[in-house]
Structure formats: structure tokens, C-alpha cells
């Protein structure tokens, strides 16, 4: 009996957020969500943290590659994921809490490559496009019938491939793209937006796994609305706009 109790206690310690507690998952997507000296940072992260404070929920934010976070948010009860675009392909896969940040997405190309011209989504079919596994850009373009997609596991790999001319285009959030290439030591002037993807230029959300407790989901929805009503949300967004 003592061995069983000890094993149960050890399991509760090793399991993230416990077997039934709230787990929050995300990826490295600065300036929205990223880690700095082991601490969760970023504009979207601050909104999530404000909601946690408002609801009184104690939960740790875990950073994983997007594909792993995405799987956890589809398979584990009481799992919250952010920052995620809300597109038709995802609509029924999650319980949506609400908007946490605005977002703008464009195809990026090398500034020096004057041969690449994209004036419509159809024009992009002529070029090789770098996308990441389970990323919204991949799901969106795949849903539009694109077959010229080169798939990798991490966003930064696509930026490096673009820098070396191994692919022609990378669809990505505009603020995050420039943030990440600078952090990787690349000259941001090497790249320029070629075409704005309006369908993906709206908002990023937080959402729960479908199996999550309905009361918990509603608690977070109300918490998010409260931080918007009291001005906390606008103050977070304003601070980051001034920083950029």
C-alpha cells in the first residue's frame, strides 16, 4: 500500500499540471509568446497571465514545438492553447475562449529577388513556399489546394532557407517574422513582404481542448472579457505597440 501511495504521489509530480489540472501550452512566437531566462513573456502571454490572475487559476505555461502543443490541445482534458488563428479547418476542434491579439500575415521574399512577384494568392502557386507542421499557414494553403509546400518542423528553419534562396516564399505573421530573423542574427532588410494574406490577418485566440470542463471554459471566457472591460487588455497591446 505504501508503495502504491508513493507511486501515485510521484506520478502527480511528474505529470504536467496534474492529471486533471489546467495545462497551458504554446510555442516560441515572439513578440506574442516566448521564453526569456525560463520565464514566459510576450504580448499574448501577458493577456493569458492577466486572465489567470482574474480567474484565480494556478497553471504553468509550457513551451513546445507547435505540433506538440497542437496535439496536446486536441487530446488532453483542460488544456489551453495560444496564440492560435481561428480558421474553418480548426473551428470544431477546440472550444474557443476569445481574441487575445490582432495579427497580420504576409508572404515574405528576399528583397534582392526581383523576379518574384505576387499580386494575388494564385500568383503564389508558381513558387516554392516554406511552411511548418500544423501551422495555420500550412493548413490554410493546403486547404486552398497548394501543392508547392515545403514542410519543416520549426518556423526559423524556413526563414533560414529563405535567406539562402532555398525557397521562394514564407507566409508568416509580420511582427513575429522580423522579430525572429533579427534575434537569429539576420539582417531584416534582406526580406520584404510580397503579398498580404487577408484571410489570415485578423486575430489570434486562446482555446481549450474539446474535452475540457465547460465551467472552466466559461470561467476563462468571463475572465478574458473582464480584462478587456477594465482596460488591462488595451494597456498590454498599447505597451507593445510603443515598444515596436
Amino acid at each position: 500500500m505504501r508503495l502504491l501511495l508513493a507511486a501515485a504521489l510521484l506520478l502527480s509530480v511528474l505529470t504536467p499540471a496534474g492529471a486533471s489540472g489546467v495545462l497551458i501550452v504554446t510555442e516560441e512566437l515572439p513578440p506574442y509568446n516566448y521564453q526569456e531566462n525560463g520565464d514566459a513573456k510576450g504580448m499574448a502571454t501577458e493577456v493569458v497571465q492577466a486572465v489567470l490572475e482574474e480567474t484565480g487559476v494556478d497553471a504553468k505555461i509550457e513551451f513546445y514545438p507547435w505540433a506538440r502543443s497542437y496535439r496536446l490541445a486536441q487530446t488532453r482534458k483542460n488544456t489551453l492553447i495560444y496564440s492560435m488563428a481561428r480558421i474553418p479547418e480548426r473551428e470544431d476542434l477546440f472550444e474557443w475562449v476569445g481574441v487575445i491579439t490582432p495579427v497580420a500575415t504576409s508572404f515574405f521574399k528576399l528583397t534582392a529577388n526581383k523576379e518574384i512577384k505576387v499580386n494575388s494568392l494564385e500568383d503564389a502557386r508558381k513558387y516554392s513556399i516554406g511552411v511548418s507542421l500544423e501551422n495555420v499557414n500550412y493548413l490554410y494553403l493546403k486547404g486552398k489546394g497548394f501543392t508547392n509546400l515545403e514542410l519543416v518542423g520549426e518556423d526559423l528553419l524556413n526563414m533560414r532557407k529563405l535567406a539562402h534562396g532555398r525557397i521562394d516564399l514564407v507566409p508568416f505573421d509580420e511582427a513575429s517574422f522580423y522579430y525572429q530573423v533579427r534575434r537569429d542574427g539576420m539582417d531584416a532588410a534582406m526580406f520584404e513582404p510580397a503579398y498580404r494574406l487577408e484571410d489570415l490577418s485578423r486575430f489570434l485566440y486562446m482555446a481549450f481542448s474539446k474535452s475540457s470542463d465547460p465551467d472552466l471554459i466559461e470561467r476563462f471566457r468571463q475572465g478574458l472579457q473582464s480584462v478587456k472591460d477594465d482596460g488591462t487588455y488595451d494597456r498590454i497591446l498599447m505597451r507593445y505597440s510603443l515598444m515596436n
Side-chain angles (χ1 to χ4, degrees):
M1 179 62 73
R2 288 180 179 175
L3 288 175
L4 288 174
L5 287 172
L9 287 171
L10 180 60
L11 182 61
S12 69
V13 171
L14 296 178
T15 302
S20 60
V22 177
L23 174 64
I24 302 176
V25 294
T26 188
E27 65 171 335
E28 289 280 340
L29 185 68
Y32 303 102
N33 20 274
Y34 62 96
Q35 294 184 91
E36 190 174 276
N37 298 322
D39 295 325
K41 300 285 187 179
M43 178 165 56
T45 295
E46 288 194 27
V47 175
V48 172
Q49 290 169 332
V51 174
L52 288 174
E53 184 174 349
E54 180 69 25
T55 59
V57 172
D58 183 19
K60 185 180 179 182
I61 298 172
E62 300 283 357
F63 285 79
Y64 301 116
W66 181 252
R68 183 179 178 188
S69 289
Y70 196 76
R71 284 195 301 271
L72 281 167
Q74 290 183 81
T75 58
R76 185 190 180 280
K77 182 179 180 179
N78 295 342
T79 299
L80 181 77
I81 185 171
Y82 78 100
S83 304
M84 187 161 64
R86 188 171 184 174
I87 57 174
E89 291 85 349
R90 289 174 171 168
E91 185 64 32
D92 296 329
L93 299 179
F94 303 94
E95 294 292 341
W96 300 90
V97 174
V99 170
I100 52 176
T101 66
V103 65
T105 301
S106 287
F107 280 118
F108 284 87
K109 71 177 191 68
L110 283 176
T111 305
N113 191 340
K114 304 303 181 182
E115 299 300 315
I116 296 178
K117 300 183 186 301
V118 184
N119 296 310
S120 69
L121 187 62
E122 288 303 306
D123 288 346
R125 295 183 189 274
K126 298 181 291 187
Y127 305 108
S128 58
I129 301 173
V131 290
S132 303
L133 187 64
E134 300 298 353
N135 181 277
V136 63
N137 305 313
Y138 165 64
L139 295 175
Y140 174 76
L141 294 173
K142 182 181 177 183
K144 293 292 185 181
F146 275 67
T147 57
N148 52 333
L149 305 177
E150 297 193 16
L151 192 61
V152 299
E154 296 182 19
D155 296 326
L156 190 57
L157 294 178
N158 280 323
M159 298 168 189
R160 291 171 177 168
K161 288 172 68 175
L162 181 60
H164 289 91
R166 293 168 54 196
I167 52 178
D168 298 320
L169 296 170
V170 171
F172 214 75
D173 168 72
E174 294 168 11
S176 185
F177 183 91
Y178 286 116
Y179 192 104
Q180 294 203 49
V181 296
R182 289 191 189 100
R183 193 169 71 165
D184 197 52
M186 290 183 270
D187 181 2
M190 291 175 58
F191 311 97
E192 66 179 15
Y195 180 75
R196 171 73 63 81
L197 291 163
E198 295 296 345
D199 286 348
L200 301 179
S201 298
R202 294 171 183 169
F203 302 100
L204 295 176
Y205 289 73
M206 67 169 81
F208 270 104
S209 50
K210 291 289 285 188
S211 59
S212 297
D213 183 343
D215 291 337
L216 177 67
I217 298 167
E218 184 58 29
R219 190 174 171 187
F220 269 70
R221 285 173 178 157
Q222 292 180 8
L224 178 58
Q225 188 59 54
S226 293
V227 301
K228 290 181 177 180
D229 290 343
D230 69 13
T232 300
Y233 177 82
D234 287 338
R235 286 193 292 273
I236 293 171
L237 267 58
M238 179 62 69
R239 187 166 65 256
Y240 277 85
S241 67
L242 292 174
M243 289 168 59
N244 290 334

